Amino acid sequence: MMQAGAGGLPTVVLRAADGSATATVHQHGATLTSWAVSGAEKEEEELLFVSPLAVFAPPKAIRGGAPICFPQFGSLGPLKAQHGFARNMEWAVDEVAGDSCSLVLCSDAATRAEWPHHFKLTMQVSLLPNGALQQSLRVLNTGDSPFEFTTALHTYFRVSDVSKASVVGLKGLSYFDNAAGSLATDDADAVTFTGEVDRAYIGAPSPLKLVDLGRGAVVMVHKEGFQDAVVWNPWEAKAAGMADLGPEHWRGFVCVEVAQARSGAVTLAPGQDWEGRLRLERDTLGES
Ligand SMILES: O=P(O)(O)OC[C@H]1O[C@H](O)[C@H](O)[C@@H](O)[C@@H]1O
């Protein structure tokens, strides 16, 4: 169902067939902006974070939800714009069923002015039984020469307080520390947050587990196709410098991003495609 969403922008609203979850996708950037799960006796619980100061004024990217980074993640590519342009563009709604939808973005003169390639992106979201959500991104080379890209689903998860959150599953991996500008190895049992964290893990396993001790909540992050994972919270000083986040709201989220980043770019020959998939499951502490 299409309806006006946050900021008055057009959105697609999905409802799971078993009534266990709803999801909202803004057409702007094909940004998934809500994933809300309803437990047997509980009220609906929102699992994604959208900044209270988010600016819903295209082409500005929405600060929160799950912006799509393409054709580059961060500065890993030829574009000047961090994270590329897909999150700044109006996507076309392709198909909407009750519990799933797909949106597409095809290259045009505006995208080719920034990146001289022909492509079709398809972003699909489906609500599965028991509140789970599946999201996929397919990249098709529609031109007659090869191109390479890096990408990510830049998901902002809502947490009670970042100091009570942790990410499990990354021990022993190498990561590029964007804050320090150097490579490091993670030897901790879990990533915890006591300051800025901006880590691009190389070759991350699946699933990863986001734990929120404050809510007793767990989100399992299953990925396919995306080789890497990024964990980010800007902490106070950086957040204060971001007008659409500000000094107060940074404690309320952790980004766990499935990515094709530091492992290397994907190269697609003409007619070839690549697909990355993400499946999110809400769990309760002690049950996973
Ligand atoms: O402010 P944005 O362009 O949305 O980027 C937000 C963040 O995205 C990723 O997580 C990067 O690793 C960070 O370095 C960056 O600060």
Side-chain angles (χ1 to χ4, degrees):
M1 187 176 62
M2 296 287 302
Q3 62 183 58
L9 298 182
T11 60
V12 181
V13 178
L14 306 177
R15 184 167 299 277
D18 65 357
S20 59
T22 59
T24 304
V25 179
H26 271 70
Q27 208 176 326
H28 177 48
T31 315
L32 174 69
T33 45
S34 169
W35 169 41
V37 174
S38 29
E41 287 136 30
K42 281 193 290 176
E43 281 176 30
E44 205 173 60
E45 178 193 27
E46 177 60 56
L47 294 163
L48 301 185
F49 169 90
V50 175
S51 172
L53 300 180
V55 176
F56 294 92
K60 183 152 179 60
I62 297 170
R63 175 67 64 196
I68 295 168
C69 304
F70 179 88
Q72 74 185 34
F73 174 78
S75 58
L76 297 176
L79 284 82
K80 275 196 222 110
Q82 147 131 321
H83 296 325
F85 49 68
R87 62 180 180 162
N88 308 106
M89 305 206 53
E90 206 60 18
W91 291 49
V93 176
D94 185 31
E95 282 181 44
V96 184
D99 57 2
S100 69
C101 69
S102 60
L103 286 83
V104 298
L105 179 70
C106 292
S107 50
D108 60 13
T111 66
R112 284 193 292 276
E114 292 189 54
W115 193 62
H117 300 290
H118 295 257
F119 65 86
K120 179 182 179 187
L121 296 185
T122 309
M123 194 288 290
Q124 209 196 8
V125 177
S126 309
L127 289 169
L128 308 177
N130 302 318
L133 179 146
Q134 184 170 285
Q135 189 177 10
S136 64
L137 180 69
R138 178 172 179 256
V139 183
L140 173 66
N141 183 343
T142 54
D144 52 17
S145 54
F147 63 68
E148 41 174 64
F149 66 93
T150 55
T151 186
L153 300 177
H154 195 306
T155 313
Y156 290 70
F157 292 97
R158 190 175 75 85
V159 293
S160 57
D161 188 296
V162 67
S163 65
K164 298 199 171 87
S166 57
V167 181
V168 184
L170 297 162
K171 186 174 183 175
L173 297 186
S174 298
Y175 62 90
F176 188 81
D177 187 335
N178 283 309
S182 55
L183 273 172
T185 302
D186 192 347
D187 54 15
D189 288 335
V191 183
T192 53
F193 301 86
T194 53
E196 180 188 4
V197 172
D198 188 355
R199 300 178 176 184
Y201 285 87
I202 302 163
S206 175
L208 300 174
K209 183 161 112 176
L210 171 62
V211 179
D212 180 1
L213 287 177
R215 295 207 323 276
V218 169
V219 175
M220 300 301 293
V221 177
H222 299 262
K223 66 177 180 62
E224 276 173 59
F226 295 99
Q227 286 179 283
D228 304 329
V230 177
V231 179
W232 179 62
N233 180 281
W235 213 253
E236 193 171 2
K238 273 217 173 136
M242 299 163 77
D244 56 359
L245 195 51
E248 280 161 24
H249 304 296
W250 56 275
R251 287 189 170 276
F253 75 89
V254 166
C255 283
V256 179
E257 307 157 40
V258 294
Q260 188 63 39
R262 290 277 163 183
S263 281
V266 177
T267 302
L268 291 182
Q272 207 185 358
D273 72 346
W274 171 92
E275 187 171 310
R277 267 193 230 155
L278 170 68
R279 194 175 80 253
L280 302 175
E281 294 167 356
R282 162 73 164 89
D283 219 330
T284 301
L285 207 55
E287 290 174 16
S288 58

